[in-house]
């Protein structure tokens, strides 16, 4: 019974039951989607206030506004370098394994993709970047627009910092409010197994494991590429500062399982921010990097988008030239940045990319409908791991990483880690 008190165990059991329910009772399972949606909505309810309070308190405690700009600049540079690396890796692997060869378009049950195609053609990416600045701060909070909340929070934190000592009473109030919202989050997390069960049961029940067979090679290629990206690229990034990727993954395993069950990186966003603080990253770095990374550092989504594009080219027999592949990388360097801020983002961004390339039929998106939900789990997990690694890297680079706290939280002695660290 003590084992059931562990959230990780409860979520694992819930995911297993969800898979079994979806497989054996598909009609019932498709009706369980509200359970997953309920949990995600409860998390979304506290995301905006937690991000706002974390950023404002982080900036006000930092005190140095030049440092705020430096951290933000480093984060954006890091995001661009790592997501470009993800694009190149995805492109190389897709060309080597060629998952689209031999796939018959008639063998895969298609669907209506006209809505995505139309939205993709009509996307104005200049308007998206203009949308980053909220015209109404209250609306940004009400709609849960993380990027707009980030911008407003930074400006609010800067304004509060400029007040000096006069702002201290408000800072103390925000400290208390922050504790209240994290207490709410702790209460909500009790329902995590229920959300994971409902989300997984719906996915298996609606799409079925049989839909995976025709595109098994694509799924296997995407999953393998993301695993390589995590344990090679991200591992090397953390290794530079003598931080164990495996230890970090074990530390956030509950959040990763929740993302797996719900197929949503939002479902673990506040918890990861809290855990990164307790792991040794300063509040100011966590508050700036995680929300910004949610839109600008989507490693998993980036890998999926480039591999899906090349896959569809292979299916339709389009032999992409080096120039066309470089064009795809250039387009995705822009379009992938908006993936988290658009409803139905994966297909819309992919449709906009295919439209821009103009050599691959947009209708080919129908081939991906059946497996997209399964691949969204890998995308979401890779995205959240990528942002976790980014935060730890920036915190170390800024000297805002408490190594003693890191060693204490992970249950190891500082001397042992620094002198006998094994990779």
């Amino acid at each position: 019974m003590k084992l059931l008190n562990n959230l990780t165990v409860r979520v694992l059991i819930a995911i297993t039951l969800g898979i079994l329910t979806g497989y054996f009772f598909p009609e019932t399972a498709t009706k369980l989607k509200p359970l997953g949606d309920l949990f995600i909505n409860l998390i979304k309810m506290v995301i905006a206030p937690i991000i706002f309070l974390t950023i404002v308190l982080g900036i006000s405690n930092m005190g140095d506004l030049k440092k705020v700009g430096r951290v933000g600049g480093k984060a954006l540079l890091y995001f661009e370098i790592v997501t470009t690396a993800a694009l190149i890796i995805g492109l190389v692997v897709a060309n080597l394994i060629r998952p689209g060869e031999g796939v018959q378009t008639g063998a895969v049950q298609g669907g209506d993709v006209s809505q995505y195609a139309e939205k993709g053609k009509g996307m104005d990416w200049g308007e998206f970047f203009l949308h980053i600045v909220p015209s109404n701060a209250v609306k940004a909070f009400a709609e849960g627009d993380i990027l707009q909340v980030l911008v407003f929070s930074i400006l609010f934190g800067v304004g509060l910092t400029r007040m000096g000592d006069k702002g201290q009473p408000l800072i103390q109030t925000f400290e208390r409010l922050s504790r209240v919202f994290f207490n709410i989050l702790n209460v909500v997390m009790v329902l995590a197994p229920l959300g994971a069960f409902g989300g997984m049961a719906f996915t298996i029940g609606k799409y079925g494991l049989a839909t995976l067979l025709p595109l098994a090679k694509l799924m296997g290629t995407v999953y393998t590429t993301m695993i390589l990206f995590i344990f090679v690229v991200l591992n090397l990034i953390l290794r530079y500062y003598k931080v164990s990727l495996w230890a970090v993954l074990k530390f956030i395993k509950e959040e990763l399982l929740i993302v797996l069950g719900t197929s949503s990186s939002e479902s673990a966003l506040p918890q990861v921010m809290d855990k990164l603080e307790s792991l040794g990253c300063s509040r100011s770095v966590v508050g700036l990097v995680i929300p910004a990374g949610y839109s600008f550092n989507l490693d998993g989504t980036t890998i999926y988008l480039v591999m899906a594009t090349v896959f569809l080219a292979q299916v339709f027999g389009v032999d992409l030239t080096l120039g066309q592949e470089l064009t795809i990388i250039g387009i995705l360097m822009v379009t992938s940045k908006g993936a988290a801020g658009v409803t139905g983002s994966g297909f819309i961004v992919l449709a906009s990319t295919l439209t821009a390339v103009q050599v691959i039929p947009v209708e080919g998106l129908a081939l991906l409908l059946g497996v997209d939900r399964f691949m969204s789990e890998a995308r979401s997990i890779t995205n959240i791991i990528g942002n976790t690694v980014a935060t730890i890297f920036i915190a170390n680079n800024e000297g805002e990483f408490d190594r003693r706290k890191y060693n204490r939280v992970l249950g190891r002695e500082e001397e042992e880690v620094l002198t006998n660290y094994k990779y």
Side-chain angles (χ1 to χ4, degrees):
M1 292 302 291
K2 287 184 179 180
L3 198 61
L4 292 178
N5 291 330
N6 187 298
L7 181 60
T8 303
V9 174
R10 295 204 305 272
V11 173
L12 273 173
I13 292 173
I15 289 174
T16 303
L17 291 176
I19 293 172
L20 294 174
T21 303
Y23 184 76
F24 291 107
F25 310 102
E27 291 186 7
T28 302
T30 54
K31 299 176 182 177
L32 297 176
K33 187 174 184 289
L35 293 179
D37 292 343
L38 172 66
F39 175 70
I40 292 174
N41 285 343
L42 286 169
I43 294 293
K44 285 183 176 180
M45 176 180 68
V46 296
I47 283 179
I50 285 177
I51 287 176
F52 172 75
L53 292 168
T54 302
I55 293 174
V56 170
L57 290 171
I59 291 176
S60 60
N61 290 331
M62 191 182 293
D64 184 359
L65 297 182
K66 289 183 180 179
K67 188 174 182 180
V68 175
R70 187 175 67 247
V71 171
K74 284 183 180 179
L76 291 176
L77 179 61
Y78 173 95
F79 296 160
E80 194 57 53
I81 292 172
V82 175
T83 52
T84 301
L87 274 173
I88 295 172
I89 290 171
L91 188 64
V92 170
V93 174
N95 278 300
L96 287 175
I97 299 180
R98 304 189 69 81
E101 284 190 347
V103 175
Q104 300 297 320
T105 57
V108 185
Q109 185 177 1
D112 182 16
V113 295
S114 58
Q115 56 172 322
Y116 303 113
E118 287 302 316
K119 288 181 180 179
K121 291 176 184 177
M123 287 196 72
D124 184 342
W125 290 101
E127 184 178 329
F128 167 77
F129 285 106
L130 184 63
H131 175 73
I132 291 174
V133 179
S135 59
N136 186 321
V138 176
K139 183 180 178 183
F141 278 88
E143 296 182 349
D145 193 318
I146 293 178
L147 205 50
Q148 290 192 348
V149 171
L150 168 68
V151 172
F152 175 74
S153 302
I154 291 174
L155 292 174
F156 194 99
V158 169
L160 186 58
T161 301
R162 291 172 66 108
M163 290 179 65
D165 293 337
K166 293 181 179 179
Q168 284 302 313
L170 188 55
I171 291 173
Q172 292 172 4
T173 300
F174 281 173
E175 288 278 6
R176 296 188 182 96
L177 279 174
S178 179
R179 286 195 289 270
V180 170
F181 277 105
F182 276 110
N183 284 336
I184 293 173
L185 182 63
N186 291 335
V187 174
V188 171
M189 287 304 296
V190 175
L191 298 176
L194 193 64
F197 168 73
M200 186 59 72
F202 168 76
T203 299
I204 301 297
K206 181 174 182 179
Y207 299 103
L209 296 176
T211 61
L212 306 181
L213 297 178
L215 301 180
K217 189 176 180 181
L218 172 63
M219 280 198 63
T221 304
V222 170
Y223 270 73
T224 301
T225 305
M226 291 188 184
I227 290 171
L228 287 173
F229 177 78
I230 291 169
F231 288 100
V232 176
V233 177
L234 298 184
N235 184 41
L236 287 173
I237 290 172
L238 287 188
R239 183 174 177 175
Y240 181 77
Y241 284 114
K242 290 184 168 36
V243 174
S244 168
L245 174 66
W246 187 248
V248 171
L249 294 182
K250 286 175 65 178
F251 185 61
I252 62 170
K253 61 182 180 296
E254 292 173 355
E255 288 69 31
L256 297 180
L257 286 172
I258 292 169
V259 170
L260 175 66
T262 60
S263 296
S264 170
S265 55
E266 278 188 332
S267 61
L269 196 63
Q271 304 94 293
V272 167
M273 291 176 69
D274 189 34
K275 281 201 168 181
L276 282 169
E277 279 192 58
S278 64
L279 193 63
C281 298
S282 70
R283 174 178 286 179
S284 55
V285 172
V286 172
L288 286 172
V289 177
I290 289 290
Y294 182 77
S295 280
F296 295 108
N297 189 43
L298 302 174
D299 300 326
T301 302
T302 300
I303 290 172
Y304 168 74
L305 288 173
V306 71
M307 296 190 78
T309 303
V310 176
F311 166 79
L312 291 176
Q314 293 166 357
V315 169
F316 289 102
V318 178
D319 190 14
L320 296 172
T321 65
L322 177 61
Q324 288 172 325
E325 292 191 343
L326 291 175
T327 300
I328 290 172
I329 290 179
I331 293 169
L332 285 174
M333 284 175 67
V334 178
T335 57
S336 63
K337 299 298 185 291
V342 184
T343 304
S345 58
F347 277 108
I348 295 173
V349 172
L350 191 53
S352 70
T353 304
L354 297 181
T355 302
V357 176
Q358 295 184 338
V359 294
I360 305 169
V362 179
E363 293 72 24
L365 290 174
L367 294 172
L368 302 173
L369 283 174
V371 296
D372 184 71
R373 178 82 181 190
F374 295 96
M375 286 196 282
S376 72
E377 295 160 354
R379 293 198 302 263
S380 299
I381 288 175
T382 306
N383 288 341
I384 205 158
I385 292 174
N387 284 315
T388 298
V389 170
T391 305
I392 295 173
F393 179 85
I394 299 297
N396 273 282
N397 189 263
E398 276 292 306
E400 296 284 338
F401 187 75
D402 190 333
R403 176 69 63 168
R404 292 182 181 277
K405 183 184 288 188
Y406 163 77
N407 294 328
R408 185 173 64 251
V409 167
L410 297 183
R412 53 175 73 183
E413 295 296 327
E414 182 178 13
E415 290 78 10
E416 179 185 347
V417 176
L418 294 178
T419 58
N420 300 317
Y421 191 83
K422 295 180 181 180
Y423 300 103

